[in-house]
Amino acid sequence: MSFRARHLLGIQHLAPDEIRAVLDLADKYVEFNRRSIKKSDALAGMTQINMFFENSTRTQASFELAGKRLGADVMNMAVAQSSVKKGETLIDTALTLNAMHPDLLVVRHGASGAVNLLAEKVNCAVLNAGDGRHEHPTQALLDALTIRRAKGRIQRLTVAICGDVAHSRVARSNLILLGKMENRVRLVAPPTLMPAGVQEFGCEVFDDMEKGLEGADVVMMLRLQKERMDGGFIPSEREYYHRYGLDAEKLSHAKPDAIVMHPGPMNRGVEIDGEIADDINRSVIQEQVEMGVAVRMACMDLLARNLRAERGARAAGVMV
Amino acid sequence: MTVFLENARIINPETLEESTGNLILDDGMIAAICSASAPKGAQVIDCAGKCLAPGIVDLGVKIGEPGERHRESFRSAGLAAAAGGVTTIIARPDTSPAIDTPEVLEFVTRRAAEAPVRIHHMAALTKSRAGREMVEIGFMLDAGALAFTDCDHVVTDTKVLGRALSYARSLGALVIGHPQDPGLSKGAAVTSGKFASLLGLPGVHQMAERIGLDRDLGMVEMTGVRYHADQITCARSLPPLERAKANGLDVTAGVSIHHLTLNDLDVGDYRSFFKMTPPLRPEEDRVAVVEAVASGLIDIICSMHSPQDEESKRLPFEDAAPGAVALQTFLPAAMRLYHAGAMGLPMLFRAMSLNPAKRLGLPQGRMAEGAPADLVLFDPDAPFMLDRSTLLSKSKNTPFDGQRMEGRVIATFVAGRQVFGQEGMINA
């Protein structure tokens, strides 16, 4: 099997054939999810714990649904509100959980690298559901699946990622994935929201949105992360919308068949015009949500297979 | 008691020469450097051709007293220092509470007596290192403070800083600054750039150090104070430093051994033991700073020994405490510079022993008759793998854990008395 990873911590650690393996399997789960009876036993007997140190509705629901459809026992730990966040360290939380023998741990945390740290301390498969401004691998995979289904391929496309790149883990994971699959990536943002040194990742950098969108196949908008703003990154929301908000005029610089994406939740009238977001001919935002469940099912299925194989090998080793 | 050290490769940081010969230690001093044989009744130690250099004078060691004795005590720091060839520790005042009154200074001076090496103290420049009011600089000088520093707290109010520097100048006190623009570096965990962006960690540009240095040098020019920049770690900071020295300002600069031997990529997969203040720099900066030490532009290499317990380090990188223990790894790490051909041993010991002693007005750091017999005997080529559990510091937060090192301390002498001896080689 071409998917060899033990954890899904970031796109950075995946090889192109592993990415393809996820997308191929996810395609099957898309069809599966459209059936009236959507229940598999791929994860039967396994325990999935969702641990979201940052509040999330959409991603957590998507992971929960994915696990349940695959037959896992799914538990949501409300760590964002509980005492876990205050006194106990991340390591202690990990050790406590590990003692309960979960098989899949889905973690979101506000600090970059926190999920990697946790993965070192547990025996189960860990899925990164977003760590700080580092990575959000399932989002990049679902975006790739959406693009592949809309465009028929995930190579040699020009993709413009626009908005708050600096604070966005979605942008980072997408940038890495699209680069690995040999696409042209452009980053469009005001200089205050552009991370340092990104030119060296092999992408083009624009602070003029119209130039950045010129000839793009895919326009990927990012949420303006207001909660992350220390203050003073942009003069005002309305100036931001004027210069970087996606409207019909700016979109006209992209290819006529360019698709519009957004990881959600959207700030209509800040980074995207409401009409564009709802335009069924251009926007694939609802598809992205659908692909999300399928991609997460595929990831968990593949990780569970590797986990079983590893445990089988270990058991065999003990008997010898 | 008289000690006779024979057949040593003698490192002289003053003359920048190496020679082979014998040393006679008497009454805590180097009585003679000669080729004669042992005087009657002397304890004879065969150095077997290994290197003998003035013991390291480490400017800027954090010891957890008062306040954090579980991280490091004077005794544990002293043992680690002795095992690392550090014969004089200049302790930092960033304790809890800060060393900002003569009473606290007296307390730590008393406590320091339990260490096997010499310990001197620095005092805070402002009360509680808060940057609002200057400390009793005169009283503290009388009580033995060697220098005044708020460590990594930058005094942002230039009015307060200007007055403190003027007052310090009138007493001839040395002030140590931390060149850093606190606005730019606020919240930063690494140096900004490609690597920081890849890891999604908040970064600080090298210009933050340069802007901080420019400001401090302006204040030095205004007040005429004796000034030392604790850590210069970026290529961009070197031209203003060079200009200040050429213009005759009484300015020196230091750098930590970590910034000379590690770079920002060493952080790798969020390894918090590599989190430092200021953060580790890209390789170009490291190379430039190594050259600046070799040319003498940067005067002093220090360990910036900063003990942290496991709980402070086993956190997501952004939340982890910065700093590393280094007393015991200082010399082996410095040997990397020697083996890489960056500079010879005499130049290294000029930066590690002679220059800090000179800057602080101490008689140590010299390999000469009549100098204090504070010495380190070491084998610059002895290889070993560092296991952090073997460190004598109470805290084990070293970035060199599991790494191959070359250079071992064989024995350490303070005032002619052996305070450390490598097992199986020389008995302490």
Side-chain angles (χ1 to χ4, degrees):
Chain A
M1 191 171 54
S2 55
F3 189 86
R4 298 166 298 275
R6 187 176 193 281
H7 304 295
L8 183 65
L9 299 178
I11 299 296
Q12 202 193 342
H13 309 291
L14 294 183
D17 65 324
E18 289 180 299
I19 294 169
R20 264 179 235 112
V22 174
L23 300 185
D24 292 346
L25 183 60
D27 259 330
K28 295 192 180 118
Y29 279 120
V30 173
E31 303 314 317
F32 177 88
N33 284 336
R34 288 177 182 173
R35 293 192 215 150
S36 53
I37 295 171
K38 353 179 193 309
K39 194 77 180 173
S40 135
D41 58 2
L43 298 185
M46 288 193 153
T47 307
Q48 172 192 341
I49 300 182
N50 294 338
M51 220 174 18
F52 281 64
F53 291 90
E54 271 185 350
N55 283 316
S56 154
T57 313
R58 307 156 61 100
T59 308
Q60 188 172 342
S62 184
F63 268 109
E64 184 175 353
L65 204 53
K68 284 182 170 164
R69 285 185 181 167
L70 292 175
D73 295 311
V74 184
M75 187 182 96
N76 290 315
M77 273 190 61
V79 277
Q81 296 90 349
S82 79
S83 58
V84 172
K85 205 182 176 188
K86 289 163 200 146
E88 204 175 39
T89 67
L90 186 63
I91 301 278
D92 285 333
T93 310
L95 294 176
T96 305
L97 273 179
N98 197 45
M100 300 180 195
H101 298 291
D103 303 288
L104 295 153
L105 205 54
V106 179
V107 187
R108 170 171 288 190
H109 196 282
S112 304
V115 183
N116 301 44
L117 181 66
L118 198 141
E120 288 171 16
K121 307 288 168 192
V122 295
N123 299 321
C124 59
V126 176
L127 286 99
N128 181 1
D131 64 321
R133 34 171 117 164
H134 176 221
E135 282 232 43
H136 190 356
T138 56
Q139 179 70 43
L141 290 164
L142 76 87
D143 286 342
L145 183 64
T146 310
I147 295 170
R148 196 171 81 167
R149 289 171 69 98
K151 292 283 163 197
R153 65 177 198 272
I154 183 80
Q155 280 102 26
R156 302 183 311 283
L157 294 167
T158 301
V159 182
I161 304 175
C162 313
D164 186 0
V165 180
H167 298 97
S168 175
R169 52 195 171 216
V170 175
R172 246 168 219 82
S173 287
N174 265 311
L175 178 60
I176 298 167
L177 187 148
L178 292 166
K180 285 192 181 198
M181 306 309 276
E182 296 168 11
N183 296 281
R184 257 180 95 175
V185 182
R186 296 175 179 173
L187 298 178
V188 182
T192 48
L193 295 177
M194 190 70 84
V198 279
Q199 294 89 337
E200 294 173 55
F201 295 154
C203 52
E204 297 168 87
V205 172
F206 295 86
D207 54 20
D208 180 320
M209 189 149 180
E210 292 180 359
K211 284 186 188 140
L213 294 194
E214 204 66 55
D217 297 292
V218 177
V219 180
M220 211 178 258
M221 299 307 299
L222 298 172
R223 177 181 165 78
L224 183 66
Q225 307 248 16
K226 275 187 274 187
E227 69 271 22
R228 293 268 174 80
M229 294 287 168
D230 286 333
F233 285 85
I234 51 165
S236 70
E237 277 183 16
R238 61 181 190 180
E239 180 162 329
Y240 183 78
Y241 178 64
H242 177 70
R243 300 197 61 215
Y244 295 99
L246 186 67
D247 55 18
E249 210 292 306
K250 294 195 193 83
L251 185 56
S252 70
H253 291 264
K255 279 193 185 156
D257 62 347
I259 56 169
V260 174
M261 306 177 73
H262 194 296
M266 280 182 283
N267 299 307
R268 289 170 190 260
V270 179
E271 71 259 353
I272 190 162
D273 181 70
E275 276 183 39
I276 298 282
D278 299 331
D279 181 350
I280 53 164
N281 295 316
R282 309 302 295 272
S283 164
V284 292
I285 295 170
Q286 294 309 313
E287 278 86 336
Q288 285 176 273
V289 179
E290 184 189 356
M291 296 309 124
V293 179
V295 154
R296 286 168 185 131
M297 289 168 81
C299 291
M300 290 198 285
D301 187 355
L302 290 168
L303 287 172
R305 289 184 210 178
N306 290 354
L307 194 65
R308 283 204 186 95
E310 188 191 306
R311 284 175 183 168
R314 207 184 301 145
V318 168
M319 271 153 44
V320 165
Chain B
M1 192 182 72
T2 307
V3 176
F4 185 71
L5 296 167
E6 67 178 353
N7 187 25
R9 178 177 159 196
I10 297 167
I11 312 295
N12 189 331
E14 272 181 304
T15 60
L16 293 181
E17 282 167 357
E18 292 182 29
S19 58
T20 304
N22 309 329
L23 251 71
I24 300 169
L25 314 182
D26 192 32
D27 200 18
M29 310 297 254
I30 300 174
I33 302 173
C34 56
S35 50
S37 53
K40 257 209 174 97
Q43 179 199 353
V44 178
I45 295 172
D46 180 11
C47 297
K50 302 301 186 212
C51 295
L52 190 63
I56 297 169
V57 178
D58 195 357
L59 174 54
V61 174
K62 169 72 181 280
I63 294 169
E65 296 195 47
E68 298 160 306
R69 208 189 292 177
H70 69 288
R71 289 186 175 160
E72 194 80 286
S73 66
F74 281 107
R75 172 129 190 99
S76 63
L79 292 172
V86 175
T87 51
T88 302
I89 286 175
I90 316 296
R92 301 208 305 254
D94 54 345
T95 46
S96 176
I99 299 170
D100 60 357
T101 64
E103 289 76 17
V104 184
L105 184 54
E106 271 171 37
F107 168 78
V108 289
T109 306
R110 214 165 43 238
R111 289 282 308 141
E114 64 176 39
V117 301
R118 297 179 201 267
I119 298 189
H120 295 281
H121 302 276
M122 298 191 283
L125 182 64
T126 66
K127 290 173 187 165
S128 305
R129 302 194 294 135
R132 283 190 291 273
E133 304 158 74
M134 70 178 92
V135 298
E136 293 170 317
I137 297 175
F139 279 153
M140 306 273 265
L141 267 181
D142 294 344
L146 284 190
F148 293 82
T149 178
D150 278 356
C151 300
D152 58 345
H153 286 190
V154 175
V155 181
T156 49
D157 187 331
T158 42
K159 199 92 167 182
V160 171
L161 180 62
R163 287 175 182 152
L165 296 187
S166 297
Y167 196 87
R169 186 202 54 80
S170 73
L171 297 168
L174 177 70
V175 172
I176 300 184
H178 179 67
Q180 194 69 222
D181 182 84
L184 285 174
S185 60
K186 189 179 166 202
V190 289
T191 303
S192 65
K194 180 188 171 186
F195 187 66
S197 294
L198 188 67
L199 289 182
L201 291 173
V204 58
H205 197 279
Q206 288 98 322
M207 276 309 274
E209 179 179 296
R210 155 83 171 276
I211 292 169
L213 180 65
D214 278 338
R215 184 203 73 154
D216 281 8
L217 293 175
M219 298 300 291
V220 171
E221 193 172 331
M222 188 173 95
T223 58
V225 74
R226 298 172 60 222
Y227 175 87
H228 174 74
D230 66 348
Q231 297 184 75
I232 292 297
T233 61
C234 303
R236 286 171 190 270
S237 306
L238 299 174
L241 179 64
E242 195 165 15
R243 269 199 306 277
K245 285 187 165 188
N247 289 343
L249 298 185
D250 191 352
V251 167
T252 50
V255 61
S256 90
I257 189 64
H258 298 118
H259 289 90
L260 293 173
T261 52
L262 304 169
N263 68 27
D264 62 345
L265 298 181
D266 284 310
V267 169
D269 200 9
Y270 301 99
R271 293 191 288 172
S272 59
F273 280 19
F274 290 81
K275 186 175 180 181
M276 312 282 172
T277 307
L280 292 173
R281 307 301 192 182
E283 181 65 6
E284 308 87 83
D285 283 314
R286 189 195 70 83
V287 169
V289 170
V290 168
E291 281 169 9
V293 173
S295 75
L297 175 58
I298 290 179
D299 311 84
I300 292 170
I301 308 175
C302 60
S303 75
M304 270 297 146
H305 181 82
S306 301
Q308 299 287 1
D309 50 41
E310 300 287 303
E311 283 66 39
S312 319
K313 281 290 186 184
R314 293 215 175 283
L315 290 170
F317 194 88
E318 270 176 74
D319 306 329
V325 292
L327 284 167
Q328 222 172 325
T329 52
F330 190 174
L331 188 139
M335 289 306 115
R336 289 186 172 184
L337 300 173
Y338 164 66
H339 290 297
M343 63 196 89
L345 292 175
M347 192 62 197
L348 262 178
F349 279 88
R350 181 179 276 198
M352 298 195 297
S353 305
L354 177 65
N355 282 348
K358 263 167 66 179
R359 190 57 171 154
L360 295 164
L362 299 173
Q364 276 79 20
R366 290 162 52 233
M367 180 60 80
E369 288 172 14
D374 291 10
L375 300 163
V376 54
L377 177 66
F378 65 99
D379 179 350
D381 304 310
F384 69 102
M385 284 268 272
L386 186 82
D387 173 357
R388 71 191 183 103
S389 67
T390 63
L391 296 180
L392 298 173
S393 283
K394 283 193 181 180
S395 298
K396 317 287 185 193
N397 54 306
T398 173
F400 296 114
D401 186 37
Q403 291 201 27
R404 289 187 174 78
M405 315 287 285
E406 264 181 291
R408 292 200 91 148
V409 175
I410 299 166
T412 306
F413 302 86
V414 174
R417 206 171 63 82
Q418 191 178 334
V419 294
F420 171 78
Q422 187 67 241
E423 227 171 295
M425 302 178 89
I426 281 179
N427 294 323

